[in-house]
Amino acid sequence: QVQLVESGGGSVQAGGSLRLSCAASGYTYSRIPMGWFRQAPGKEREGVAAIKVSSGSTYYADSVKGRFTISQDGAKNTVYLQMDSLKAEDTAMYYCASSGSWPGSSNALAPASYEYWGQGTQVTVSS
């Protein structure tokens, strides 16, 4: 059974940084994509960043390019999201997600492409 456990959320002032972690278990980690998504109150869930674990290719939403970095540690089956220069509009519940297969570059940030989800971790940025 696939399990994804996020950690690292919290409250920070605008301009600050946070690093989220997602520990994965229950499947062959090296063969699947991992993604970070977020959902603010009253808004739809949106893709933030994704990584194709087998190749290391990364994908970012325009709103976070240059500020967020997704990375992985294969030895720990863990994916990270380093968030720098945080803005108030980054406030949301952040979710880690995975899929049994690579959905393709054009769908890497689409929530519908992922079937396994973590419980989420709250990020609050105050201005």
Side-chain angles (χ1 to χ4, degrees), residues 17-93:
S17 299
L18 285 173
R19 189 177 81 155
L20 307 183
S21 300
C22 174
S25 63
Y27 56 84
T28 306
Y29 171 81
S30 63
R31 297 181 181 178
I32 45 78
M34 298 288 288
W36 284 99
F37 298 79
R38 67 186 182 187
Q39 188 167 19
K43 294 187 177 181
E44 293 187 353
R45 190 168 297 188
E46 63 174 350
V48 174
I51 185 167
K52 187 178 183 182
V53 173
S54 59
S55 66
S57 298
T58 57
Y59 305 82
Y60 296 94
D62 288 342
S63 59
V64 305
K65 280 181 181 177
R67 301 189 298 120
F68 291 10
T69 304
I70 188 171
S71 62
Q72 58 158 333
D73 183 337
K76 297 181 179 180
N77 283 9
T78 299
V79 173
Y80 304 96
L81 185 68
Q82 177 67 42
M83 305 185 294
D84 298 319
S85 301
L86 282 162
K87 304 176 181 179
E89 50 262 44
D90 294 319
T91 295
M93 184 70 79

